[in-house]
Amino acid sequence: MRAGAAVAELVLVRHGETDWNVERRLQGQQAPGPPLNALGRGQAGVVAAELARRFAGGVDAVWSSDLRRAVETAEPIAAALGVAVQTHAGLRERHLGDLQGLTYAEAPSAQPAAWEALQAPGGAARILGGGESLDDLRARLRATLLHIAAAHPGGRVVVVSHGGALHAAHAVARGAAAKGKVVNASISVLLAAAGPPPAVLCRRCRALEQAQRRPERQPPGTGGDGCSCADVRTDGAGRGGGGSISIAADCTAASAGGAAVPGEHGRPARDFALLCWNDAKHLANAGALGAGDAFGGSACEA
């Protein structure tokens, strides 16, 4: 996590099961989307009771995707915790374009180009028909989770979303995709920075800041020795041409939105820390796992 940043605890929950899950039908963002089936409604009740047990002191809020299956999962959770559901479109599942509504068996022949994009390696391929790329999805989840965290600094928030969206959250937090399926009504826990990055400067930027206070001394870096934050960004004077350099803004901007690690210019500090992933012990104990789900223990203990 970023040093000095306020933190919010985000308790991530996947929606309960739908008939489309059972049919292996691509749900995506088709609105309003399928409702929970009987097992899914039971799963929503089980996870609501589990969260009320774990967080007897309460939570600050329950946020949910605005798609029907997520809202129907969030409502009993919110009721058990004594808060209202707040919806956010940024928590929706990945938009799957022309594939939405098709089964995995139908999709390759019915929409071959869109299917190829879904299976493409890397994260840049967008799915035909207005679909998102994995890069789009990850950027959306990152922005949405940071927005929610910023609304609740120091708080605990339940966030109800979707399997693909939660995989994106894992990738944002850990830098790599998770293996396997996110179990319906499983619980993951993520710490998220709840404020702007502090102005932490690398060694060269700290030296430059000190030199601005003592202009008779020229620090290493002002002659272009490789530190991009020590010799670019002048007030109209150009590279190395004097003027007032916005040191903190330059160093932070070069770190892709995160504060620089002291001594390492351009290396972003982390906005997220994943504490628990895909915990479904409560479902296994209640006999509420879906037919396709397997669970061997709490991922929170790993």
Side-chain angles (χ1 to χ4, degrees):
M1 293 294 297
R2 297 192 315 231
V7 172
E9 181 182 353
L10 305 183
V11 181
L12 310 179
V13 176
R14 188 186 177 197
H15 64 80
E17 186 182 87
T18 71
D19 284 342
W20 283 27
N21 289 139
V22 177
E23 297 165 4
R24 291 183 51 78
R25 193 172 297 277
L26 294 151
Q27 298 176 109
Q29 291 190 17
Q30 187 158 309
L36 299 182
N37 61 20
L39 177 59
R41 292 190 293 273
Q43 290 172 333
V46 169
V47 73
E50 175 65 14
L51 294 175
R53 183 191 68 81
R54 290 192 192 186
F55 307 126
V59 301
D60 294 275
V62 172
W63 287 74
S64 173
S65 158
D66 57 358
L67 295 174
R68 183 176 178 179
R69 58 195 182 275
V71 173
E72 289 183 357
T73 305
E75 286 172 340
I77 294 173
L81 294 170
V83 297
V85 177
Q86 302 178 64
T87 59
H88 196 307
L91 295 170
R92 290 179 182 178
E93 182 58 286
R94 181 182 180 184
H95 195 304
L96 298 175
D98 291 336
L99 299 175
Q100 292 180 169
L102 299 173
T103 67
Y104 278 87
E106 296 166 344
S109 57
Q111 295 290 342
W115 179 258
E116 183 179 354
L118 179 66
Q119 304 299 317
R126 289 194 173 103
I127 300 172
L128 273 65
E132 291 177 292
S133 69
L134 281 176
D135 289 344
D136 294 334
L137 176 63
R138 290 167 182 170
R140 169 164 62 84
L141 261 293
R142 177 186 178 84
T144 301
L145 294 175
L146 289 176
H147 169 80
I148 291 171
H152 305 280
R156 174 182 289 133
V157 181
V158 176
V159 177
V160 182
S161 190
H162 305 264
L166 294 179
H167 269 292
H170 184 285
V172 166
R174 290 271 176 93
K179 295 180 180 179
K181 174 186 176 183
V182 181
V183 177
N184 289 106
S186 64
I187 297 169
S188 302
V189 180
L190 183 72
L191 298 182
V200 179
L201 306 181
C202 71
R203 279 189 286 267
R204 289 191 179 95
C205 283
R206 288 201 303 272
L208 186 62
E209 183 179 54
Q210 292 165 4
Q212 284 191 346
R213 299 193 185 111
R214 302 188 302 276
E216 71 280 1
R217 298 181 62 185
Q218 283 291 323
T222 55
D225 67 347
C227 178
S228 61
C229 55
D231 57 6
V232 295
R233 307 279 170 97
T234 66
D235 288 345
R239 180 181 178 92
S244 174
I245 299 176
S246 178
I247 301 169
D250 189 42
C251 193
T252 300
S255 301
V261 175
E264 298 185 44
H265 171 76
R267 176 181 165 188
R270 293 168 62 190
D271 286 319
F272 301 100
L274 187 63
L275 304 185
C276 169
W277 177 248
N278 205 21
D279 179 9
K281 182 186 293 182
H282 53 291
L283 299 166
N285 290 342
L289 287 170
D293 292 330
F295 181 70
S298 173
C300 297
E301 298 165 357

